[in-house]
């Protein structure tokens, strides 16, 4: 098959009318959400066995997504920034460099949602962005690492919280650091 996703039921096969590949997927417990190569969100409704097409006004692939809470879906794109879709209102808020200068580059690679609901995003700029969904605020962090000790573990974004709740991040061009809550900074 070269036509996106499909569902097989006992009586029929239901297709998404999409010529592009689906690149990301998550569930909110009720619906299955997918993001496509064409920048379209798809919501699968199991009870009605149907797919709903949602167009968030992006034109590049939706490469990753996750539920932020029961009604908000975060997605990142290959070159149009990132967005938050509110299931209750049907509205999508886009975050890109033309609206928020601190974003820098609209090319996003990955993200991590921490245990406090803060979103840490990696894009082409040095460092990492923190997005607070509750307020819509963005802040860029760049770790100050002595180049003699800059041991990047991987070229890819890596974030995790240890048993004490400390957030550790390996950022592009910034090495491995932890987030210090008291100083609101990344430290090595």
């Amino acid at each position: 098959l070269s036509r996106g996703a499909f569902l097989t039921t006992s009586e029929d096969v239901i297709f998404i009318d999409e010529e592009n590949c689906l690149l990301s997927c998550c569930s909110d417990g009720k619906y299955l959400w997918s993001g496509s190569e064409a920048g379209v969100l798809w919501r699968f409704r199991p009870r009605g066995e149907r797919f709903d097409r949602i167009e968030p006004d992006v034109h590049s692939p939706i490469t990753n997504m996750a539920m932020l809470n029961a009604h908000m879906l975060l997605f990142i794109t290959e070159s149009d920034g990132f967005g938050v879709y509110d299931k209750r209102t049907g509205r999508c808020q886009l975050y890109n460099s033309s609206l928020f200068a601190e974003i820098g580059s609209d090319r996003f690679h990955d993200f991590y949602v921490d245990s406090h609901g803060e979103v840490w995003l990696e894009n082409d700029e040095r460092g990492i962005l923190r997005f607070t969904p509750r307020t819509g605020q963005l802040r860029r962090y760049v770790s100050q690492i002595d180049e003699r000790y800059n041991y990047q573990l991987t070229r890819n974004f890596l974030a995790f919280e240890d048993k004490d709740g400390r957030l550790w991040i390996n950022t592009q061009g910034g090495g491995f650091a932890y987030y210090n809550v008291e100083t609101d900074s990344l430290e090595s």
Side-chain angles (χ1 to χ4, degrees), residues 91-153:
R91 292 192 177 133
C92 185
Q93 172 65 52
L94 294 178
Y95 296 83
N96 57 42
S97 60
S98 64
L99 298 172
F100 300 91
E102 59 269 39
I103 289 178
S105 169
D106 292 331
R107 186 175 179 81
F108 281 84
H109 303 289
D110 209 349
F111 66 89
Y112 176 77
V113 182
D114 70 21
S115 60
H116 303 287
E118 300 285 315
V119 181
W120 299 84
L121 299 124
E122 181 195 35
N123 65 358
D124 278 349
E125 297 293 314
R126 188 166 188 260
I128 188 115
L129 280 168
R130 182 180 74 180
F131 171 63
T132 305
R134 189 173 70 270
T135 63
Q137 290 183 312
L138 287 161
R139 174 150 185 229
R140 178 162 301 281
Y141 296 84
V142 178
S143 53
Q144 303 302 318
I145 296 177
D146 186 330
E147 291 301 318
R148 295 175 297 171
Y149 305 109
N150 186 0
Y151 302 112
Q152 285 191 301
L153 298 180

Side-chain angles (χ1 to χ4, degrees), residues 47-99:
R47 289 193 173 210
E49 295 183 341
R50 73 176 223 228
F51 291 96
D52 298 321
R53 180 184 179 106
I54 299 165
E55 298 189 33
D57 198 28
V58 297
H59 306 288
S60 67
I62 296 174
T63 57
N64 201 355
M65 60 176 52
M67 296 305 302
L68 294 176
N69 55 41
H71 58 86
M72 297 179 85
L73 171 73
L74 174 103
F75 61 90
I76 61 174
T77 71
E78 191 173 275
S79 61
D80 289 320
F82 70 96
V84 177
Y85 177 75
D86 188 327
K87 296 180 346 183
R88 294 177 302 183
T89 65
R91 292 192 177 133
C92 185
Q93 172 65 52
L94 294 178
Y95 296 83
N96 57 42
S97 60
S98 64
L99 298 172

